[in-house]
Every structure is written in C-alpha cells, then in structure tokens.
Amino acid sequence: MMRPLAPADLEAVRGLLPYTAAHLISALGEEAALALLGRLAGQTINVPKHPDNNPAGSRKWAMLEEIVGPEAMKKLAATFGGMPLDVPTCLKARREARDRAIRAEFDRLTMQEKYSKAQAIYEIGLACRPPLTSRQIEKIVDRPDAEADTAQGVLF
C-alpha cells in the first residue's frame, strides 16, 4: 500500500489530484479530506444525509465521523448526502509525493552524507515500504519532478 498523502504533499501534487479529491478538499478542508482519502481510497460510499435516519445510515455516519470529525461530517453530508461517493485513489499524486520524498532522501544522502549513487539507492531500497527494486529507485532519482497537468497552450 502506498503511503497516504500528507498536508505537506498537497502544494506540490495538487495539480495531479483528480477532480473528486480536489472537491473533497474544498468541501471538507485538507485534514479531513486527506483522512478520508487515506482510509477509504478506492471505495464507493453512500453518504448519509442525517445521523439518525436508519440503523445502517447511523452506522455509516458514525464510521465517517470517526474518520473526518464531526464538523467535516456535517459538510460531507451537506455536499454529498444521499449520493454514492467514489473516493479516488489519487494514485498519480501519491506516486509523485513518494517519488519526491525518494529524490529528497537521495539528495540528502549523496550531498550531505557523501554516499555514492549506488550506496544511496541501496539505503533507500532498504527503507522503502512497500519495497522498491534498486532499478525502480534509480529510475525515480534520474527523472525530474512531475509537473501538474495544466491547460495546454497553443502548440503552433
């Protein structure tokens, strides 16, 4: 499982988030939205409108409220209540956040600790969870940060 997005990651990867994730962040706030994206990524949830309409809705309300908090749950219900919500996985943004963290660690190891490229890749490989191969890490450190998708300008 890929590490969850953290508030510190958002500025760098915001443009790589799917629309639904951006909408959740706007509606709930960063902390609550990231908690929801971290715990329920890839799931479709039927968001209850009220905390006590029926037993199933009450259980769902309590579960969601535990994840996002009481105030954010009210906002979630007001925005998505009564509808199924496909919680995005944010795979592109998560990968980019992971890759940036790997490149930052690589830079620290090679520039500050004076490790060779091979030794730095080896050390990063030992620390990565889930594990990555040395070749995967080498490809990550050899490429630049991804740019967020922006509106494409005129080509010709």
Side-chain angles (χ1 to χ4, degrees), residues 1-120:
M1 174 166 188
M2 196 164 294
R3 75 178 180 89
L5 289 171
D9 298 324
L10 275 186
E11 194 56 41
V13 300
R14 191 177 300 273
L16 299 173
L17 293 171
Y19 170 78
T20 309
H23 189 56
L24 281 168
I25 291 168
S26 175
L28 306 181
E30 286 181 3
E31 188 176 321
L34 290 177
L36 185 67
L37 292 169
R39 290 271 302 274
L40 297 176
Q43 301 301 308
T44 300
I45 54 173
N46 291 313
V47 179
K49 290 182 182 182
H50 305 287
D52 54 5
N53 274 356
N54 59 56
S58 294
R59 285 190 301 274
K60 182 81 53 109
W61 184 283
M63 184 266 301
L64 291 169
E65 187 175 63
E66 181 181 319
I67 294 170
V68 301
E71 290 306 311
M73 183 57 215
K74 291 175 190 170
K75 293 174 185 176
L76 184 66
T79 307
F80 298 101
M83 302 186 313
L85 171 63
D86 293 320
V87 181
T89 60
C90 304
L91 193 55
K92 286 173 82 174
R94 289 175 198 259
R95 279 192 182 140
E96 181 60 22
R98 177 205 63 194
D99 292 356
R100 287 177 186 226
I102 287 171
R103 284 190 286 274
E105 179 63 4
F106 177 82
D107 288 348
R108 186 189 73 75
L109 289 172
T110 57
M111 292 180 194
Q112 293 176 8
E113 303 293 327
K114 305 299 185 201
Y115 283 34
S116 68
K117 181 178 182 178
Q119 186 63 34

Side-chain angles (χ1 to χ4, degrees), residues 95-96 99-100 103 138-147:
R95 279 192 182 140
E96 181 60 22
D99 292 356
R100 287 177 186 226
R103 284 190 286 274
E138 186 174 6
K139 285 181 179 181
I140 290 167
V141 299
D142 286 345
R143 72 174 169 255
D145 290 348
E147 294 296 323

